Amino acid sequence: MVRMYRLLLVVSLMALLAVEATFKMQEVFRWKQMDYAFADEGKRNEALFNKRFIPENNLPVGIEIWNDKLFVSVPRWRAGIPSTLNYVQLYKGAPESPKLNPFPDWKSNEVGNCETGMTTVYRIKADKCDRLWVLDTGTFGIGNTTTNPCPYALNVFDLRTNRRIRRYELRAADTNANSFIANIAVDVGKSCDDAFAYLSDELGYGLIVYSWQENTSWRFMHSFFMPDPLAGDFNIGGLNFQWGEEGIFGMSLSPMQHDGFRTMFFSPLASNREFSVSTRTLRDKTKVESAYFDFTPLEDRGPLAHTTARVMDEDGVQFFNLIDQNAIGCWNSLNPYRRNNLAMIERDDEKLIFPSDVKVDREANVWVMSDRMPNFLLSSLNFEEYNFHVFFAPINVLIKDTVCEKPTPQFLYALYR
Ligand SMILES: *[C@@H]1O[C@H](CO)[C@@H](O)[C@H](O)[C@H]1NC(C)=O
Ligand SMILES: *[C@@H]1O[C@H](CO)[C@@H](O)[C@H](O)[C@H]1NC(C)=O
């Protein structure tokens, strides 16, 4: 009897391990190195020769999915980035390492062309009104090599026509000497005109709000945007480094609440803590001086829980990267934000080194890009290996049998009757 029990225990343990070892996401694309769809081989050779294209300097950081396009951003941290905003076509049988196409075209990706070109794009967001929101930092370089050929500008494209329908330069008062704004969240309310963009200033410690209707912006400041001085040490991809100054970065927006507003969840990069604020506050520019108590700290996620990218689906399930653990996590906002309500849903110590962006598409799939960013920045990549990956999986498959699983209709019925 005892032996039987032991055997059962061993078997069930093995089953558990097997479940953990199963990678549920499906690899869509992988690249050793990025390449671009130049008009022809002659143009490509010319770009290589005059160093307008230096393949090893191209690191993809942000993604977005809209219909059959997967957008990919490549910041101009070094020379030789031919285009910063790009896409690849999604279709059955697509090549595993497709070339990047400039979006909407080459001309719109000219470095230093402030009026009609984009210089450096990090994160992008498509909204339900078929618009693509793109923040151009206008910068070239990274860290102490950064120059600013152009000002920060928000570009909005109509995805049905591939035309830019808005360009808005941030006001001087929206930034400061330390500003580094690389992330964007988009909040569409009752109509497509009722739209706001939120931009996180990671090194200048601010949150900038842009109103589509008023075509103007304002800036919130708060001590919750600052890094936790005890959370600045990182060990990723075999490297130890300190990102101690990095403040507010990842943001996600809840579904619309009963009061007609969403809740924004955000976290500084050098921090293991999540914070929240209602968009009722953010949308109100008269609040910028008096909103201290509108911001709420949530429970600490515990160690090894730095996160940069997050997104929430229509039912309020948040997906986020766990950059210290080469992993993706989830939290169902029907549950309180507590450690035991957070789950790790995917992990891979090879293919998920620095999952740099996480997105959800309209068909309820989660998409992840990983890019080994610390290795690129602090050491070097081995271009014989696959360095950049894009994965996707249906939300329901990813959260099945985890604490993030959505209640079944029967359960909800029991709860509310
Ligand atoms: C820039 O920073 C790097 C490392 O962080 C350092 O090696 C280099 O000397 C710095 N350059 C300047 C011009 O300050
Ligand atoms: C919005 O403001 C920008 C200033 O950054 C201006 O150039 C642009 O014409 C304005 N657009 C609209 C639609 O008012």
Side-chain angles (χ1 to χ4, degrees), residues 310-360:
R310 73 209 42 215
V311 63
M312 211 175 244
D313 77 0
E314 287 176 351
D315 299 318
V317 178
Q318 189 193 64
F319 298 93
F320 49 91
N321 59 359
L322 287 162
I323 56 177
D324 315 273
Q325 306 191 62
N326 311 319
I328 306 298
C330 66
W331 165 54
N332 189 330
S333 61
L334 287 175
N335 304 317
Y337 197 92
R338 291 207 196 105
R339 286 185 205 187
N340 59 348
N341 286 330
L342 307 179
M344 187 190 287
I345 48 176
E346 201 64 287
R347 171 178 193 154
D348 191 294
D349 292 341
E350 176 72 26
K351 290 186 290 190
L352 272 182
I353 298 176
F354 210 86
S356 66
D357 207 357
V358 182
K359 286 283 160 69
V360 167

Short mmCIF file of all heavy atoms in Angstrom, two decimals, residues 310-360:
data_model
loop_
_atom_site.label_atom_id
_atom_site.label_comp_id
_atom_site.label_asym_id
_atom_site.label_seq_id
_atom_site.Cartn_x
_atom_site.Cartn_y
_atom_site.Cartn_z
N ARG A 310 3.87 44.92 -20.26
CA ARG A 310 2.65 44.30 -19.76
C ARG A 310 1.48 44.73 -20.61
O ARG A 310 1.50 45.79 -21.24
CB ARG A 310 2.40 44.69 -18.31
CG ARG A 310 1.94 46.11 -18.19
CD ARG A 310 2.31 46.76 -16.91
NE ARG A 310 3.66 46.42 -16.55
CZ ARG A 310 4.05 46.23 -15.29
NH1 ARG A 310 3.21 46.37 -14.32
NH2 ARG A 310 5.29 45.94 -15.02
N VAL A 311 0.43 43.92 -20.58
CA VAL A 311 -0.76 44.22 -21.36
C VAL A 311 -1.92 43.53 -20.66
O VAL A 311 -1.73 42.52 -19.98
CB VAL A 311 -0.58 43.71 -22.81
CG1 VAL A 311 -0.43 42.21 -22.86
CG2 VAL A 311 -1.72 44.17 -23.71
N MET A 312 -3.14 44.09 -20.78
CA MET A 312 -4.29 43.44 -20.17
C MET A 312 -5.30 43.12 -21.26
O MET A 312 -5.51 43.95 -22.15
CB MET A 312 -4.90 44.37 -19.13
CG MET A 312 -5.54 43.61 -18.00
SD MET A 312 -6.12 44.71 -16.71
CE MET A 312 -5.08 44.24 -15.36
N ASP A 313 -5.90 41.94 -21.19
CA ASP A 313 -6.87 41.58 -22.22
C ASP A 313 -8.25 42.13 -21.85
O ASP A 313 -8.43 42.77 -20.82
CB ASP A 313 -6.88 40.06 -22.48
CG ASP A 313 -7.62 39.27 -21.41
OD1 ASP A 313 -8.14 39.87 -20.45
OD2 ASP A 313 -7.68 38.03 -21.54
N GLU A 314 -9.23 41.88 -22.71
CA GLU A 314 -10.56 42.47 -22.54
C GLU A 314 -11.28 41.99 -21.29
O GLU A 314 -12.23 42.61 -20.84
CB GLU A 314 -11.42 42.13 -23.76
CG GLU A 314 -11.02 42.90 -24.98
CD GLU A 314 -11.82 42.47 -26.20
OE1 GLU A 314 -12.57 41.48 -26.12
OE2 GLU A 314 -11.68 43.14 -27.23
N ASP A 315 -10.82 40.83 -20.75
CA ASP A 315 -11.46 40.32 -19.54
C ASP A 315 -10.67 40.69 -18.28
O ASP A 315 -10.98 40.20 -17.19
CB ASP A 315 -11.58 38.79 -19.62
CG ASP A 315 -12.45 38.39 -20.80
OD1 ASP A 315 -13.48 39.03 -21.03
OD2 ASP A 315 -12.06 37.44 -21.51
N GLY A 316 -9.62 41.49 -18.45
CA GLY A 316 -8.87 41.93 -17.27
C GLY A 316 -7.78 40.97 -16.83
O GLY A 316 -7.37 41.01 -15.67
N VAL A 317 -7.29 40.12 -17.71
CA VAL A 317 -6.13 39.29 -17.37
C VAL A 317 -4.87 40.00 -17.88
O VAL A 317 -4.78 40.32 -19.06
CB VAL A 317 -6.23 37.87 -17.96
CG1 VAL A 317 -4.97 37.06 -17.62
CG2 VAL A 317 -7.46 37.17 -17.44
N GLN A 318 -3.96 40.24 -16.95
CA GLN A 318 -2.73 40.93 -17.32
C GLN A 318 -1.63 39.91 -17.64
O GLN A 318 -1.47 38.92 -16.93
CB GLN A 318 -2.26 41.83 -16.16
CG GLN A 318 -1.12 42.74 -16.52
CD GLN A 318 -0.47 43.36 -15.30
OE1 GLN A 318 0.11 42.68 -14.46
NE2 GLN A 318 -0.57 44.67 -15.18
N PHE A 319 -0.88 40.19 -18.71
CA PHE A 319 0.29 39.38 -19.06
C PHE A 319 1.51 40.29 -18.97
O PHE A 319 1.45 41.45 -19.38
CB PHE A 319 0.14 38.81 -20.47
CG PHE A 319 -1.03 37.89 -20.58
CD1 PHE A 319 -2.27 38.36 -20.99
CD2 PHE A 319 -0.91 36.55 -20.22
CE1 PHE A 319 -3.38 37.52 -21.05
CE2 PHE A 319 -2.01 35.70 -20.27
CZ PHE A 319 -3.24 36.19 -20.69
N PHE A 320 2.60 39.78 -18.42
CA PHE A 320 3.79 40.61 -18.26
C PHE A 320 5.05 39.77 -18.39
O PHE A 320 5.02 38.55 -18.21
CB PHE A 320 3.77 41.33 -16.90
CG PHE A 320 3.48 40.44 -15.73
CD1 PHE A 320 4.51 39.82 -15.03
CD2 PHE A 320 2.18 40.21 -15.33
CE1 PHE A 320 4.24 39.00 -13.94
CE2 PHE A 320 1.90 39.37 -14.24
CZ PHE A 320 2.93 38.77 -13.56
N ASN A 321 6.15 40.44 -18.73
CA ASN A 321 7.41 39.72 -18.81
C ASN A 321 8.06 39.68 -17.43
O ASN A 321 7.87 40.58 -16.61
CB ASN A 321 8.33 40.34 -19.86
CG ASN A 321 8.65 41.80 -19.58
OD1 ASN A 321 8.19 42.38 -18.62
ND2 ASN A 321 9.45 42.40 -20.45
N LEU A 322 8.81 38.62 -17.18
CA LEU A 322 9.61 38.49 -15.96
C LEU A 322 11.05 38.38 -16.45
O LEU A 322 11.53 37.28 -16.73
CB LEU A 322 9.17 37.26 -15.18
CG LEU A 322 7.82 37.41 -14.47
CD1 LEU A 322 7.23 36.05 -14.09
CD2 LEU A 322 7.93 38.30 -13.23
N ILE A 323 11.69 39.55 -16.59
CA ILE A 323 12.96 39.55 -17.33
C ILE A 323 14.08 38.81 -16.58
O ILE A 323 14.98 38.28 -17.21
CB ILE A 323 13.40 40.98 -17.71
CG1 ILE A 323 13.49 41.88 -16.49
CG2 ILE A 323 12.46 41.58 -18.75
CD1 ILE A 323 13.98 43.28 -16.80
N ASP A 324 14.00 38.74 -15.25
CA ASP A 324 15.04 38.01 -14.49
C ASP A 324 14.92 36.50 -14.68
O ASP A 324 15.85 35.77 -14.38
CB ASP A 324 14.91 38.28 -12.99
CG ASP A 324 14.70 39.74 -12.67
OD1 ASP A 324 15.69 40.46 -12.54
OD2 ASP A 324 13.53 40.16 -12.58
N GLN A 325 13.74 36.05 -15.06
CA GLN A 325 13.47 34.61 -15.07
C GLN A 325 13.23 34.04 -16.46
O GLN A 325 12.78 32.91 -16.61
CB GLN A 325 12.27 34.31 -14.17
CG GLN A 325 12.44 34.87 -12.77
CD GLN A 325 11.39 34.37 -11.81
OE1 GLN A 325 11.31 33.17 -11.56
NE2 GLN A 325 10.58 35.26 -11.29
N ASN A 326 13.50 34.85 -17.49
CA ASN A 326 13.26 34.41 -18.88
C ASN A 326 11.84 33.87 -19.00
O ASN A 326 11.62 32.78 -19.52
CB ASN A 326 14.26 33.33 -19.31
CG ASN A 326 15.70 33.72 -18.98
OD1 ASN A 326 16.09 34.87 -19.17
ND2 ASN A 326 16.47 32.79 -18.49
N ALA A 327 10.89 34.63 -18.52
CA ALA A 327 9.55 34.07 -18.35
C ALA A 327 8.45 35.10 -18.60
O ALA A 327 8.70 36.30 -18.67
CB ALA A 327 9.40 33.52 -16.93
N ILE A 328 7.24 34.57 -18.72
CA ILE A 328 6.03 35.37 -18.86
C ILE A 328 5.11 35.03 -17.69
O ILE A 328 4.94 33.86 -17.36
CB ILE A 328 5.30 35.05 -20.19
CG1 ILE A 328 6.25 35.20 -21.39
CG2 ILE A 328 4.06 35.93 -20.38
CD1 ILE A 328 6.79 36.58 -21.61
N GLY A 329 4.51 36.06 -17.11
CA GLY A 329 3.61 35.85 -15.99
C GLY A 329 2.22 36.38 -16.28
O GLY A 329 2.00 37.05 -17.30
N CYS A 330 1.28 36.03 -15.40
CA CYS A 330 -0.08 36.53 -15.58
C CYS A 330 -0.71 36.84 -14.23
O CYS A 330 -0.28 36.34 -13.18
CB CYS A 330 -0.95 35.51 -16.32
SG CYS A 330 -1.23 33.98 -15.40
N TRP A 331 -1.72 37.67 -14.27
CA TRP A 331 -2.53 38.01 -13.10
C TRP A 331 -3.94 38.29 -13.58
O TRP A 331 -4.14 39.09 -14.51
CB TRP A 331 -1.97 39.25 -12.40
CG TRP A 331 -2.92 39.86 -11.41
CD1 TRP A 331 -3.54 39.24 -10.38
CD2 TRP A 331 -3.40 41.22 -11.39
NE1 TRP A 331 -4.36 40.13 -9.71
CE2 TRP A 331 -4.29 41.35 -10.32
CE3 TRP A 331 -3.14 42.35 -12.19
CZ2 TRP A 331 -4.94 42.55 -10.01
CZ3 TRP A 331 -3.77 43.54 -11.89
CH2 TRP A 331 -4.67 43.63 -10.80
N ASN A 332 -4.91 37.61 -13.00
CA ASN A 332 -6.30 37.88 -13.33
C ASN A 332 -6.81 38.93 -12.35
O ASN A 332 -6.87 38.68 -11.14
CB ASN A 332 -7.13 36.60 -13.22
CG ASN A 332 -8.53 36.79 -13.76
OD1 ASN A 332 -9.08 37.90 -13.71
ND2 ASN A 332 -9.11 35.74 -14.30
N SER A 333 -7.19 40.11 -12.88
CA SER A 333 -7.53 41.23 -11.99
C SER A 333 -8.88 41.04 -11.29
O SER A 333 -9.29 41.90 -10.51
CB SER A 333 -7.49 42.55 -12.75
OG SER A 333 -8.42 42.54 -13.81
N LEU A 334 -9.55 39.90 -11.52
CA LEU A 334 -10.70 39.56 -10.67
C LEU A 334 -10.20 39.21 -9.26
O LEU A 334 -10.94 39.29 -8.29
CB LEU A 334 -11.45 38.35 -11.24
CG LEU A 334 -12.29 38.56 -12.49
CD1 LEU A 334 -12.87 37.24 -12.95
CD2 LEU A 334 -13.42 39.56 -12.22
N ASN A 335 -8.91 38.80 -9.19
CA ASN A 335 -8.30 38.46 -7.90
C ASN A 335 -7.47 39.64 -7.41
O ASN A 335 -6.93 40.40 -8.22
CB ASN A 335 -7.37 37.25 -8.06
CG ASN A 335 -8.07 36.04 -8.64
OD1 ASN A 335 -9.19 35.74 -8.26
ND2 ASN A 335 -7.42 35.37 -9.58
N PRO A 336 -7.31 39.78 -6.09
CA PRO A 336 -6.45 40.85 -5.58
C PRO A 336 -5.02 40.67 -6.06
O PRO A 336 -4.58 39.54 -6.32
CB PRO A 336 -6.53 40.68 -4.06
CG PRO A 336 -7.67 39.76 -3.79
CD PRO A 336 -7.92 38.96 -5.02
N TYR A 337 -4.28 41.77 -6.20
CA TYR A 337 -2.88 41.70 -6.64
C TYR A 337 -2.02 41.21 -5.48
O TYR A 337 -1.54 41.99 -4.66
CB TYR A 337 -2.40 43.08 -7.11
CG TYR A 337 -1.14 43.01 -7.94
CD1 TYR A 337 -1.21 42.91 -9.33
CD2 TYR A 337 0.12 43.02 -7.36
CE1 TYR A 337 -0.05 42.84 -10.10
CE2 TYR A 337 1.27 42.94 -8.11
CZ TYR A 337 1.17 42.86 -9.48
OH TYR A 337 2.33 42.78 -10.25
N ARG A 338 -1.89 39.89 -5.39
CA ARG A 338 -1.07 39.27 -4.35
C ARG A 338 -0.20 38.23 -4.99
O ARG A 338 -0.55 37.67 -6.03
CB ARG A 338 -1.96 38.57 -3.31
CG ARG A 338 -2.76 39.52 -2.49
CD ARG A 338 -3.09 38.94 -1.14
NE ARG A 338 -4.16 39.73 -0.55
CZ ARG A 338 -5.43 39.33 -0.47
NH1 ARG A 338 -5.76 38.12 -0.89
NH2 ARG A 338 -6.34 40.11 0.04
N ARG A 339 0.92 37.94 -4.33
CA ARG A 339 1.88 36.98 -4.92
C ARG A 339 1.22 35.67 -5.31
O ARG A 339 1.50 35.11 -6.35
CB ARG A 339 3.00 36.68 -3.94
CG ARG A 339 3.97 37.82 -3.82
CD ARG A 339 5.11 37.42 -2.94
NE ARG A 339 5.69 38.62 -2.35
CZ ARG A 339 6.79 38.62 -1.64
NH1 ARG A 339 7.44 37.49 -1.42
NH2 ARG A 339 7.26 39.74 -1.15
N ASN A 340 0.34 35.16 -4.44
CA ASN A 340 -0.24 33.84 -4.75
C ASN A 340 -1.29 33.92 -5.86
O ASN A 340 -1.80 32.90 -6.30
CB ASN A 340 -0.80 33.17 -3.48
CG ASN A 340 -1.87 34.01 -2.81
OD1 ASN A 340 -2.04 35.18 -3.15
ND2 ASN A 340 -2.59 33.43 -1.88
N ASN A 341 -1.62 35.12 -6.31
CA ASN A 341 -2.52 35.25 -7.46
C ASN A 341 -1.77 35.53 -8.76
O ASN A 341 -2.39 35.78 -9.79
CB ASN A 341 -3.55 36.36 -7.21
CG ASN A 341 -4.61 35.91 -6.21
OD1 ASN A 341 -4.93 34.72 -6.14
ND2 ASN A 341 -5.12 36.85 -5.44
N LEU A 342 -0.43 35.52 -8.69
CA LEU A 342 0.37 35.70 -9.90
C LEU A 342 0.89 34.34 -10.31
O LEU A 342 1.25 33.53 -9.46
CB LEU A 342 1.56 36.63 -9.63
CG LEU A 342 1.26 38.00 -9.01
CD1 LEU A 342 2.56 38.77 -8.80
CD2 LEU A 342 0.30 38.80 -9.85
N ALA A 343 0.93 34.08 -11.60
CA ALA A 343 1.45 32.79 -12.06
C ALA A 343 2.47 32.99 -13.15
O ALA A 343 2.40 33.96 -13.91
CB ALA A 343 0.30 31.92 -12.58
N MET A 344 3.43 32.06 -13.20
CA MET A 344 4.34 32.03 -14.33
C MET A 344 3.76 31.06 -15.36
O MET A 344 3.46 29.92 -15.04
CB MET A 344 5.72 31.55 -13.88
CG MET A 344 6.76 31.67 -14.96
SD MET A 344 8.29 30.85 -14.51
CE MET A 344 8.90 32.00 -13.29
N ILE A 345 3.56 31.54 -16.57
CA ILE A 345 2.87 30.68 -17.54
C ILE A 345 3.80 30.17 -18.63
O ILE A 345 3.45 29.25 -19.36
CB ILE A 345 1.68 31.41 -18.19
CG1 ILE A 345 2.08 32.79 -18.66
CG2 ILE A 345 0.50 31.45 -17.25
CD1 ILE A 345 0.98 33.52 -19.41
N GLU A 346 4.98 30.77 -18.73
CA GLU A 346 5.92 30.29 -19.73
C GLU A 346 7.32 30.67 -19.32
O GLU A 346 7.52 31.71 -18.71
CB GLU A 346 5.58 30.92 -21.09
CG GLU A 346 6.10 30.20 -22.28
CD GLU A 346 5.51 28.80 -22.45
OE1 GLU A 346 5.88 27.90 -21.67
OE2 GLU A 346 4.70 28.62 -23.37
N ARG A 347 8.26 29.76 -19.58
CA ARG A 347 9.65 30.03 -19.23
C ARG A 347 10.54 29.23 -20.15
O ARG A 347 10.26 28.08 -20.45
CB ARG A 347 9.89 29.63 -17.78
CG ARG A 347 11.34 29.68 -17.42
CD ARG A 347 11.60 29.34 -16.00
NE ARG A 347 12.98 29.74 -15.76
CZ ARG A 347 13.46 30.08 -14.59
NH1 ARG A 347 12.70 30.08 -13.54
NH2 ARG A 347 14.72 30.43 -14.47
N ASP A 348 11.64 29.85 -20.59
CA ASP A 348 12.63 29.11 -21.37
C ASP A 348 13.96 29.83 -21.27
O ASP A 348 14.08 30.99 -21.65
CB ASP A 348 12.19 29.01 -22.84
CG ASP A 348 13.05 28.03 -23.61
OD1 ASP A 348 14.26 28.30 -23.78
OD2 ASP A 348 12.53 26.99 -24.04
N ASP A 349 14.96 29.13 -20.72
CA ASP A 349 16.23 29.78 -20.43
C ASP A 349 17.10 29.97 -21.66
O ASP A 349 18.23 30.47 -21.57
CB ASP A 349 16.99 29.00 -19.35
CG ASP A 349 16.26 29.08 -18.01
OD1 ASP A 349 15.44 30.01 -17.84
OD2 ASP A 349 16.50 28.22 -17.15
N GLU A 350 16.59 29.57 -22.79
CA GLU A 350 17.33 29.75 -24.04
C GLU A 350 16.56 30.73 -24.94
O GLU A 350 17.08 31.77 -25.33
CB GLU A 350 17.46 28.36 -24.71
CG GLU A 350 18.12 28.35 -26.06
CD GLU A 350 19.61 28.62 -25.96
OE1 GLU A 350 20.20 28.33 -24.89
OE2 GLU A 350 20.18 29.14 -26.94
N LYS A 351 15.31 30.39 -25.19
CA LYS A 351 14.55 31.15 -26.19
C LYS A 351 13.86 32.39 -25.64
O LYS A 351 13.44 33.25 -26.40
CB LYS A 351 13.49 30.23 -26.84
CG LYS A 351 14.10 29.16 -27.73
CD LYS A 351 13.05 28.36 -28.46
CE LYS A 351 12.26 27.47 -27.53
NZ LYS A 351 11.39 26.51 -28.24
N LEU A 352 13.72 32.47 -24.32
CA LEU A 352 13.01 33.63 -23.75
C LEU A 352 13.96 34.56 -22.98
O LEU A 352 13.52 35.27 -22.09
CB LEU A 352 11.87 33.17 -22.84
CG LEU A 352 10.51 32.92 -23.50
CD1 LEU A 352 9.48 32.53 -22.45
CD2 LEU A 352 10.02 34.13 -24.27
N ILE A 353 15.24 34.58 -23.37
CA ILE A 353 16.15 35.51 -22.71
C ILE A 353 15.78 36.92 -23.13
O ILE A 353 15.80 37.26 -24.30
CB ILE A 353 17.63 35.20 -23.05
CG1 ILE A 353 18.00 33.81 -22.57
CG2 ILE A 353 18.54 36.26 -22.43
CD1 ILE A 353 19.40 33.38 -22.94
N PHE A 354 15.39 37.69 -22.16
CA PHE A 354 14.84 39.04 -22.31
C PHE A 354 13.63 39.10 -23.24
O PHE A 354 13.72 39.52 -24.39
CB PHE A 354 15.90 40.08 -22.73
CG PHE A 354 15.55 41.44 -22.17
CD1 PHE A 354 15.94 41.79 -20.90
CD2 PHE A 354 14.76 42.33 -22.89
CE1 PHE A 354 15.58 43.02 -20.35
CE2 PHE A 354 14.40 43.56 -22.34
CZ PHE A 354 14.82 43.91 -21.07
N PRO A 355 12.49 38.70 -22.70
CA PRO A 355 11.24 38.87 -23.47
C PRO A 355 10.90 40.37 -23.48
O PRO A 355 10.37 40.89 -22.51
CB PRO A 355 10.22 38.07 -22.67
CG PRO A 355 10.82 37.81 -21.34
CD PRO A 355 12.27 38.15 -21.37
N SER A 356 11.23 41.06 -24.55
CA SER A 356 11.21 42.53 -24.51
C SER A 356 9.82 43.11 -24.70
O SER A 356 9.57 44.23 -24.27
CB SER A 356 12.15 43.10 -25.57
OG SER A 356 11.69 42.80 -26.86
N ASP A 357 8.90 42.38 -25.35
CA ASP A 357 7.56 42.95 -25.50
C ASP A 357 6.51 41.84 -25.43
O ASP A 357 6.77 40.70 -25.83
CB ASP A 357 7.44 43.72 -26.83
CG ASP A 357 6.38 44.83 -26.76
OD1 ASP A 357 5.71 44.95 -25.70
OD2 ASP A 357 6.21 45.57 -27.74
N VAL A 358 5.34 42.21 -24.90
CA VAL A 358 4.22 41.28 -24.75
C VAL A 358 2.97 42.00 -25.25
O VAL A 358 2.69 43.11 -24.82
CB VAL A 358 4.01 40.89 -23.26
CG1 VAL A 358 2.87 39.89 -23.12
CG2 VAL A 358 5.29 40.34 -22.66
N LYS A 359 2.23 41.39 -26.16
CA LYS A 359 1.03 42.03 -26.69
C LYS A 359 -0.11 40.99 -26.79
O LYS A 359 0.14 39.79 -26.80
CB LYS A 359 1.31 42.60 -28.10
CG LYS A 359 2.17 43.87 -28.09
CD LYS A 359 1.39 45.09 -27.68
CE LYS A 359 2.23 46.24 -27.20
NZ LYS A 359 3.05 46.90 -28.20
N VAL A 360 -1.34 41.50 -26.88
CA VAL A 360 -2.50 40.64 -27.10
C VAL A 360 -3.17 41.12 -28.39
O VAL A 360 -3.34 42.33 -28.58
CB VAL A 360 -3.48 40.73 -25.91
CG1 VAL A 360 -4.82 40.12 -26.25
CG2 VAL A 360 -2.90 40.06 -24.68
#
